[in-house]
Amino acid sequence: MLPNSGVLYPSDAIGVAALSMRDLEQGLCPSTPTGTVPVEELSVREVRALLLDGKMSCQQLVETYITRIAVYDSPTGLNAVRSLAVESALAAARALDEELAALLARAGADGAARELRPLFCAPLLLKDNIDFPGLPTTAGAKALAGNYPSAPAHVVRRLEAAGAIVLGKSNMGEFALFPSFTVGSLAGFTRNPYHLARSPGGSSGGSAAAVAANLALGALGTDTGNSVRGPASHAGVVGLRPSIGLVGRSGVIPLRLDRDTVSPIARSVADAAALLSAMAGLDPEDEASRHELGPASNATVETASDANGTYFEDYTRFLDDRALSQARIGVVREIVDVPGTNREISALFAGALYTMQSMGATLVDNFSITGNELGLDWDADRNGQGPALGHWNVDGHWSDLWACTSPLRTGMDDYLEHVNGTELPQNLADLYAEGNYHPLSRDAILSALQAPEATPEAFPTPTQRQLGLVCGCSYWWDDPCRTEFRRNLVDSMDAAGVDVLVYPTWNEPPLRIGDAWDSYYDGNNSPMIAPQTGSPAISVPMGFTAQGLPAGIQFLARPFDEPTLIAVAHAYERASSLRQPPRLFPDCAGAVSAGPPAASQVAG
């Protein structure tokens, strides 16, 4: 029986498919898996090699993922995939098979290997707030069930140009809310593939769970405060939040544009880097992209051209197994030492630090962010007042940079103004009035509707009014607190001579489905630094608790230093080798699996 004490609307926690002991012992694969190919833990690089060697076709690969979704997603109650684009995905696969055949005939195997597009036949899932024609973009809400976009999001166009195929949409926390769980009024809860009674976190929980269960080669999520790195940690995969402005966001339903990023989720750092290589680039319709990558920006982005002349950023060239041997890593001990941290998480983190040291890394322990000219220096526990989930000190007062909720209203209003369909809400106020959303979304929507405009006169802190500061309502370059936070971060890293910072992604294991945390802090460390400073950060598997629940370690780099971030994270991943597929979802094509799952992975 699934527990739902605590309760987050227990009716939403009921309905997981009944799995019999026979199911657990024999598995859910069809007895004659005709046409499927082995895909468990398949990588972007391996797909290219198998296609070039003629060991499978792109159509076979797409059909296999579609079959796996049918076999596993609904029958187990995983509920990671919300909708599929079967016809368009198969049509794209057939076209790519023809393209490869023509390329092999013209250039031979060696020439084809050089000219093949970087994500050739990479079947991906999109979080359901990313536009793709033919499928509704719902953000998990009944209110947007009829929102059929006419054009793909900017990032989808780039991925398709690189050869990727959109399989469908993944379930998400409604409107990208709920960092601890993934639930919406349209599709309900997504479950953790390592333990179906647990949550994968949110809000990109569907993308993370699907990638963990090998239902796609990779997936896209969005990360505002936690929503990619958090689920990646809880689902045992890799989630990379890029620097704000590096990946375009037009065609994506926003939560708050001053912090939103579109981010890759994969089973390895190498695959996350390959996805980012196609995703990164100037989006003229995105204010942050124009600011950071436009002609007047200072960001330097390395580019490499494919055979068709389309330019992609090549982050895979920074993958370096030996990067730890030359790395200086700042250990943000104060995040680990926040009161209440789970002992198993602390032990896993200590083991991760040992692994880095054994590979030659220099650890700079007790790294701190100092130099705040507006007030007290940053402290992960706010000098004993509780975890700083996005707080900055102004003249002794700890301002909550998440307290300003007006960006949700302005971003949603702008998106809804351009949607197609007369039955759709035209702004957030219409959406609220219609009531077609999950009850847990109500407070966030109402707060955004009631939020004052972001002006010094309206902002509530007297000290901030006196100083003329508006903190938490704008991008880092317009927000004095965030500007100071970013400068302090970079200056402190420079002074300590560190390449990246490191800390646990979560200080707690995944929640049980139906449970709720009884305070504002649930062990989630992702909102603390990266969203406020615009820095890139990545969560990589750190191991498992005694109950078999995944945990993740997070690396953070200076803004637009994705190359260093990727190099260090990849080297740690290779040295630790802690990624393991969940046992409930074995290959259906005759590959050797890890054996049947334990009954405790399903309930209890």
Side-chain angles (χ1 to χ4, degrees):
M1 180 176 179
L2 296 176
N4 50 48
S5 58
V7 279
L8 284 174
Y9 295 90
S11 61
D12 285 326
I14 297 171
V16 63
L19 295 175
S20 67
M21 290 305 299
R22 180 183 177 87
D23 291 330
L24 293 176
E25 292 171 358
Q26 298 187 0
L28 299 175
C29 291
S31 56
T32 54
T34 305
T36 60
V37 294
V39 296
E40 191 171 78
E41 302 302 280
L42 197 61
S43 70
V44 169
R45 183 177 180 179
E46 289 167 340
V47 166
R48 293 168 61 89
L50 289 169
L51 290 170
L52 285 167
D53 290 345
K55 294 181 178 178
M56 72 175 182
S57 68
C58 186
Q59 182 172 338
Q60 282 181 307
L61 180 61
V62 169
E63 288 175 343
T64 298
Y65 281 124
I66 292 171
T67 298
R68 282 183 63 82
I69 291 168
V71 166
Y72 286 128
D73 191 53
S74 179
T76 63
L78 184 68
N79 197 28
V81 181
R82 201 199 65 75
S83 61
L84 286 175
V86 175
E87 292 185 7
S88 65
L90 289 174
R94 288 190 290 269
L96 289 175
D97 282 333
E98 292 175 2
E99 179 180 327
L100 178 57
L103 184 57
L104 287 168
R106 176 177 60 80
D110 291 341
R114 289 191 299 270
E115 296 183 31
L116 210 61
R117 288 185 278 168
L119 291 179
F120 192 89
C121 191
L124 306 176
L125 289 167
L126 308 177
K127 187 176 180 179
D128 201 12
N129 57 350
I130 300 172
D131 284 349
F132 182 73
L135 296 178
T137 304
T138 74
K142 289 181 178 178
L144 300 179
N147 176 29
Y148 284 84
S150 58
H154 169 85
V155 69
V156 175
R157 290 197 299 270
R158 290 190 62 88
L159 286 165
E160 289 186 318
I165 296 174
V166 174
L167 281 178
K169 297 289 194 76
S170 56
N171 195 22
M172 62 177 285
E174 192 169 81
F175 303 122
L177 301 170
F178 321 135
S180 300
F181 48 89
T182 290
V183 68
S185 57
L186 194 60
F189 273 99
T190 294
R191 299 176 180 276
N192 194 307
Y194 291 88
H195 196 310
L196 294 177
R198 299 274 180 166
S199 164
S203 63
S204 304
S207 291
V211 171
N214 286 278
L215 303 185
L217 195 63
L220 295 195
T222 57
D223 189 313
T224 303
N226 150 88
S227 289
V228 159
R229 292 161 293 151
S233 174
H234 278 350
V237 291
V238 173
L240 196 169
R241 175 193 168 96
S243 301
I244 293 177
L246 182 62
V247 176
R249 304 167 301 175
S250 61
V252 179
I253 297 179
L255 175 56
R256 44 186 310 159
L257 286 170
D258 56 338
R259 289 168 174 82
D260 289 349
T261 62
V262 183
S263 310
I265 297 176
R267 287 181 290 273
S268 68
V269 176
D271 279 6
L275 291 174
L276 183 65
S277 297
M279 295 165 63
L282 177 65
D283 179 356
E285 298 181 31
D286 181 347
E287 179 184 8
S289 181
R290 293 196 304 271
H291 184 278
E292 300 287 22
L293 300 184
S297 72
N298 294 319
T300 301
V301 181
E302 302 292 341
T303 60
S305 166
D306 73 358
N308 300 316
T310 303
Y311 282 85
F312 301 103
E313 323 308 332
D314 184 14
Y315 290 104
T316 62
R317 66 191 180 94
F318 300 107
L319 299 168
D320 182 359
D321 291 358
R322 299 167 297 176
L324 283 174
S325 66
Q326 303 172 20
R328 285 177 57 86
I329 299 174
V331 182
V332 191
R333 184 72 63 180
E334 59 194 86
I335 290 180
V336 193
D337 293 340
V338 167
T341 297
N342 181 275
R343 291 183 179 180
E344 287 189 87
I345 301 297
S346 295
L348 290 171
F349 184 67
L353 296 181
Y354 177 81
T355 297
M356 293 180 220
Q357 280 188 307
S358 70
M359 297 302 293
T362 300
L363 301 185
V364 179
D365 212 349
N366 294 306
F367 174 88
S368 58
I369 300 171
T370 61
N372 180 17
E373 296 180 356
L374 300 179
L376 301 175
D377 285 339
W378 186 79
D379 183 326
D381 197 35
R382 293 188 296 155
N383 309 105
Q385 295 181 36
L389 296 190
H391 295 78
W392 193 253
N393 195 280
V394 179
D395 197 23
H397 170 76
W398 287 97
S399 295
D400 181 1
L401 302 185
W402 293 105
C404 177
T405 57
S406 59
L408 170 59
R409 180 183 69 240
T410 54
M412 186 67 78
D413 283 355
D414 182 67
Y415 179 89
L416 293 176
E417 182 182 351
H418 298 93
V419 297
N420 299 315
T422 57
E423 303 299 320
L424 294 171
Q426 297 303 298
N427 52 48
L428 188 62
D430 287 348
L431 190 152
Y432 177 76
E434 293 172 6
N436 289 326
Y437 47 82
H438 197 281
L440 291 174
S441 299
R442 180 182 181 276
D443 288 349
I445 298 171
L446 187 59
S447 174
L449 290 173
Q450 295 176 343
E453 294 298 325
T455 65
E457 294 74 24
F459 206 72
T461 306
T463 300
Q464 289 173 324
R465 291 197 195 105
Q466 182 180 355
L467 296 176
L469 301 179
V470 180
C471 290
C473 269
S474 187
Y475 289 101
W476 71 265
W477 59 83
D478 288 329
D479 185 318
C481 292
R482 293 181 64 189
T483 300
E484 188 72 2
F485 201 161
R486 181 173 169 126
R487 183 183 66 78
N488 286 187
L489 171 68
V490 174
D491 288 352
S492 298
M493 292 180 71
D494 289 347
V498 299
D499 301 299
V500 297
L501 306 184
V502 69
Y503 44 90
T505 308
W506 291 85
N507 282 353
E508 295 287 341
L511 282 173
R512 293 181 182 274
I513 293 290
D515 282 1
W517 203 256
D518 58 5
S519 70
Y520 80 101
Y521 177 66
D522 55 5
N524 177 12
N525 299 321
S526 292
M528 289 189 174
I529 303 174
Q532 321 308 330
T533 61
S535 301
I538 188 170
S539 182
V540 179
M542 187 172 68
F544 296 84
T545 69
Q547 285 187 287
L549 300 172
I553 188 169
Q554 189 160 164
F555 297 92
L556 181 142
R558 295 168 178 81
F560 287 93
D561 193 10
E562 275 79 1
T564 300
L565 181 73
I566 287 167
V568 172
H570 170 75
Y572 167 74
E573 175 190 59
R574 296 281 287 180
S576 58
S577 299
L578 293 170
R579 161 70 192 166
Q580 295 180 21
R583 294 171 65 191
L584 189 60
F585 305 88
D587 228 315
C588 286
V592 177
S593 73
S600 61
Q601 292 176 287
V602 179

